[in-house]
Amino acid sequence: MNYQLSLRDVTKKFGEVTAVDSVSLDVKKGEFLTLLGPSGSGKTTTLNMIAGFEVPTSGTILLKDRDITTVAPNNRGIGMVFQNYALFPHMTVFDNIAFPLKMRKVAREEITKKVQYVLEMVQLPGFERRYPYQLSGGQQQRIALARALVFEPEILLMDEPLGALDKKLRDHMKLEIKHLQQSLEITVIYVTHDQEEALTMSDRIAIMNYGRIMQLDTPVGLYESPANLFVADFIGESNFLEGKVIDTDSEGVCIETNQGIKVWAEFGTRISVGDEASVAIRPEKVSIFADEDTVPSEMVNSYRARVDEVIYVGDANVYKVRLNKGVTLKVKAQNVRPGKGFNKGEGVIVAWQLRQCRALR
Ligand code: ATP
């Protein structure tokens, strides 16, 4: 496979702090790859090493087959957009966008053509003579994007580019960036701590924690098949039932919780009998039935429970239910027939299939 960018065992230490710990990563041409993780997990440091603003303590960065680990930022052919726009305040829009071209000694007519072209691309034609202070936040961000795209970089790096914008504008720019990326077939490496942003924009997401990649997968892969407890907890919402593995077969694993409830789950990680593990179940994967209903036979996990709390969230009801042995679960049920939900205090059955929950560590 021909990768556009590869990180091989890249580590960055700042004194005692290991900001990035042995990260290896391959990015395909035209891919939208996001680094997602909590604050301090090493996302920006990783991006800065790709850009050339930081040099790795160890490891190698390859652009196609070229080792760029210590190459200066302006010799990498990589564009970059930051959260705080970083437009030059004393320069017009034209001069801001032309800047990278002037640095590269591009001819004047060529510059004018290219600036016009990218301004149309970001839907701001005719804005050449304005100054940054005469633009809204969203417009400034689009100019920053135009400036990063004008020298046709092979890779575009974006660090929380929408962080300073209000929600509505962020939602709009999210789609605009994605469309632009697809039509230009440009490779984007994007940093955010906003999971919704990551899930809607990315082809693949690297979930980072403590400087390491916890899982690298498609949005669906991360949500449906988290590889560990951190990812199951970080992406979306999960119930966790802690216990010990008491049995396994070809389909999955049986975990007995500390309260004595047995749950059959699919393997999320390699575990064997005797290991401590947790079962992760998404609230929307749990079905809720009336006390007298017959539960479908494929739902091998089936328990009597009582409704402790009902939360109406419009399209769904969220129930907090308590199983006989004191275990509580959150259940999200689509609001198919308004007024036909369950009430607080009611006895119910909650049930789910083996493949709807995962045994993880
Ligand atoms: P955020 O979402 O808050 O921006 P991040 O995931 O981008 O966080 P980094 O900025 O890469 O995280 O930081 C990773 C770790 O490295 C943190 O513990 C941070 O304090 C530390 N760090 C980053 N830059 C430096 C530096 N120049 N000197 C010392 N420590 C640093």
Side-chain angles (χ1 to χ4, degrees), residues 12-20 35-48 54 83 159-160 191-193 208-211:
K12 178 68 185 179
K13 294 187 179 176
F14 294 105
E16 295 286 287
V17 179
T18 304
V20 174
L35 307 178
L36 173 69
S39 184
S41 55
K43 309 180 293 292
T44 296
T45 306
T46 304
L47 208 68
N48 283 343
E54 299 280 3
Q83 174 172 347
D159 192 351
E160 303 259 4
V191 162
T192 183
H193 61 259
M208 294 192 70
N209 194 30
Y210 294 118

Side-chain angles (χ1 to χ4, degrees), residues 8-176:
R8 296 263 175 274
D9 256 334
V10 170
T11 292
K12 178 68 185 179
K13 294 187 179 176
F14 294 105
E16 295 286 287
V17 179
T18 304
V20 174
D21 191 0
S22 266
V23 162
S24 293
L25 180 68
D26 292 305
V27 188
K28 293 171 223 160
K29 186 165 165 42
E31 186 171 29
F32 195 118
L33 185 128
T34 296
L35 307 178
L36 173 69
S39 184
S41 55
K43 309 180 293 292
T44 296
T45 306
T46 304
L47 208 68
N48 283 343
M49 289 190 286
I50 298 171
F53 301 137
E54 299 280 3
V55 176
T57 309
S58 60
T60 314
I61 301 175
L62 300 168
L63 190 60
K64 298 212 184 91
D65 291 325
R66 177 176 159 228
D67 185 339
I68 57 157
T69 315
T70 56
V71 170
N74 54 345
N75 290 331
R76 293 186 178 205
I78 292 177
M80 185 131 188
V81 182
F82 303 94
Q83 174 172 347
N84 50 1
Y85 326 128
L87 294 178
F88 304 115
H90 58 284
M91 286 188 193
T92 61
V93 163
F94 181 93
D95 288 335
N96 261 286
I97 299 176
F99 186 78
L101 300 176
K102 285 183 181 158
M103 297 273 289
R104 287 169 173 77
K105 309 251 183 293
V106 176
R108 184 184 288 264
E109 315 83 77
E110 186 72 13
I111 289 182
T112 308
K113 256 201 284 182
K114 287 197 165 175
V115 170
Q116 273 171 2
Y117 176 70
V118 287
L119 274 174
E120 268 164 37
M121 210 153 68
V122 298
Q123 295 173 17
L124 290 175
F127 275 62
E128 286 90 337
R129 291 208 204 129
R130 295 232 201 157
Y131 283 88
Y133 71 87
Q134 295 170 313
L135 302 172
S136 72
Q139 289 169 338
Q140 289 187 42
Q141 196 52 300
R142 278 191 233 164
I143 299 301
L145 189 59
R147 189 179 59 181
L149 290 171
V150 76
F151 65 94
E152 295 163 33
E154 292 182 58
I155 300 181
L156 184 61
L157 308 181
M158 305 180 99
D159 192 351
E160 303 259 4
L162 309 180
L165 307 179
D166 64 47
K167 166 126 178 59
K168 201 159 169 218
L169 195 53
R170 214 162 54 216
D171 287 344
H172 177 74
M173 287 295 291
K174 217 156 56 178
L175 295 178
E176 237 175 61

